[in-house]
């Protein structure tokens, strides 16, 4: 008795169709074009032999030819139970004894499995459970990028530079730092007025980064008047002095107010507060660098001494913090800053500034050391101030413009607080002629 086709056809199915020849020998795999997984191969066999998956294959009672039956016909000797699993974990031959695919024939002439059917061998168990060894040779899923390997217990992922203990990509940070230093030193040495162009470009980029950052706090200060006013402020400071710097600040704030009123009064107070902070923080403080460079005769040296003091402070703090840092200085603002790193910053800046001011300006070394301490403290405060702003805004860097540094403001934060301090102290130590 054959089952009717579930879609309504009365044509018999499977081996009972008279117009179809008997099937040939059983294939070693249900799909011949699919290569079996490496873990399915039995050890000790030829590479082209493997353990067959559990299929509903039995021996034909008439011709002895193994074929794939449906396993559900009532007259099928190899009929499986209703749960779909063979009762003994294997298959049965024509005599009703268990037959295991892939095992050699035993002394009784049939394909024997293990001596005890209830205790299968380890080779047959490998078909059911590949074990931990199979996980090691199984092909990994997913696509890997070229030149990288999958990380494991004993090997890290390759192709990615390991960050330093301070959280930076140190080679990239050093390279970008040298490039920024060259952009400051070369114009000062060759053509000092060109330094104002570099400073104005830096102010424009810094304002752009700040405007983008404060948008996370739902503040939208206008970018165009801030950038135009910032460049104007730096230019006025470089050509007309301290009074012109204050005038540029007032003009920038007034222009920003007028521009913002054109967009309505919704959120006006919040946007104006953000615009005021940006204007004071970036172009007004950077204008003191223009005042230092505008000093007659020794303006480039004043800028150079200030920048070197900040570099010594950052380098000393980095080295001391990585080597000796244990007690955090401000864990809620900047967890990586330590009191040991702060001591290294002050010590390196004091020692270096004492030598620099004595050689370049003939200032007593103790006054030069005091200059270094003041500049270093201002630089650390500037770094903490920006860290506090970034933490409030929920960002790590102002941008990703500079590899190993983040944004330009992440490098200017120390200098912006240091240049007003250096301007005031140098005006006392080395009065400007005339």
């Amino acid at each position: 008795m054959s089952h009717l086709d579930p879609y309504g056809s009365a044509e018999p199915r499977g081996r009972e169709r008279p117009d179809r020849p008997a099937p040939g020998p059983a294939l070693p795999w249900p799909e011949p074009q699919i290569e079996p997984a490496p873990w399915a191969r039995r050890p000790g066999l030829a590479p082209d032999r493997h353990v067959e998956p559990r299929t509903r294959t039995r021996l034909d009672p008439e011709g002895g030819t193994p074929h794939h039956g449906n396993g559900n016909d009532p007259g099928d000797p190899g009929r499986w139970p209703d749960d779909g699993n063979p009762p003994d974990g294997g298959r049965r031959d024509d005599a009703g004894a268990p037959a295991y695919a892939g095992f050699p024939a035993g002394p009784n002439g049939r394909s024997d499995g293990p001596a005890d059917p209830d205790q299968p061998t380890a080779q047959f168990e490998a078909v059911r459970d590949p074990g931990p060894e199979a996980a090691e040779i199984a092909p990994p899923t997913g696509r890997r990028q070229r030149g990288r390997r999958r990380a494991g217990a004993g090997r890290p992922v390759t192709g990615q530079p390991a960050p330093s203990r301070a959280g930076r990509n140190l080679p990239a940070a050093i390279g970008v730092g040298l490039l920024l230093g060259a952009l400051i030193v070369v114009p000062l040495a060759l053509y000092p007025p060109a330094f104002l162009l570099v400073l104005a470009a830096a102010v424009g980029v810094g304002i752009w980064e700040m405007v983008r950052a404060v948008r996370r706090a739902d503040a939208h200060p206008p970018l165009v008047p801030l950038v135009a006013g910032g460049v104007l402020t730096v230019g006025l400071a470089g050509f007309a002095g301290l009074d012109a710097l204050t005038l540029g600040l007032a003009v920038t704030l007034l222009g920003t107010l007028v521009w913002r009123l054109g967009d309505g009064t919704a959120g006006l107070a919040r946007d104006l507060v953000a615009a005021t902070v940006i204007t004071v923080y970036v172009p007004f403080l950077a204008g003191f660098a223009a005042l230092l460079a505008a000093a007659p005769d020794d303006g480039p040296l004043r800028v150079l001494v200030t920048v070197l003091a900040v570099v010594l402070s950052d380098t000393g703090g980095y080295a001391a913090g990585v080597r000796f840092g244990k007690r955090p200085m401000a864990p809620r603002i900047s967890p990586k800053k330590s009191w040991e790193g702060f001591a290294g910053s002050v010590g390196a800046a004091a020692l270096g500034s004492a030598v620099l001011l004595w050689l370049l300006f003939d200032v007593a070394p103790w006054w030069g050391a005091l200059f270094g301490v003041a500049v270093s403290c201002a630089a650390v405060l500037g770094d903490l101030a920006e860290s506090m702003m970034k933490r409030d805004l929920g960002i790590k860097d102002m941008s990703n413009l500079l590899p190993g540094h983040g944004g330009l403001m992440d490098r200017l934060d120390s200098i912006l607080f240091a240049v007003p301090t250096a301007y005031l102290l140098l005006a006392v130590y080395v009065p400007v002629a005339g």
Side-chain angles (χ1 to χ4, degrees), residues 270-320:
R270 180 175 56 249
D271 295 347
L272 290 182
V273 170
T276 303
V277 172
I278 294 174
T279 303
V280 174
Y281 183 47
V282 183
F284 180 73
L285 294 182
F288 285 94
L291 294 177
L292 285 173
D297 299 332
D298 58 358
L301 294 180
R302 292 172 184 258
V303 177
L304 182 62
V305 167
T306 304
V307 172
L308 288 178
V310 174
V311 171
L312 288 172
S313 176
D314 288 345
T315 305
Y318 175 81

Side-chain angles (χ1 to χ4, degrees), residues 4-9:
L4 296 178
D5 187 75
Y7 297 98
S9 175

Side-chain angles (χ1 to χ4, degrees), residues 158-230:
T158 59
Q160 296 179 350
S164 64
R165 289 182 58 185
R168 295 183 185 179
N169 183 358
L170 195 57
I174 294 175
V176 173
L178 293 176
L179 178 60
L180 294 177
L183 290 177
I184 296 175
V185 174
V186 172
L188 290 175
L190 300 180
Y191 186 64
F195 174 73
L196 285 179
L197 298 178
V198 176
L199 186 60
V203 166
V205 174
I207 293 174
W208 169 74
E209 290 182 346
M210 290 291 296
V211 170
R212 288 179 67 249
V214 298
R215 287 176 181 171
R216 297 179 62 91
D218 201 19
H220 300 275
L223 178 63
V224 174
L226 286 175
V227 172

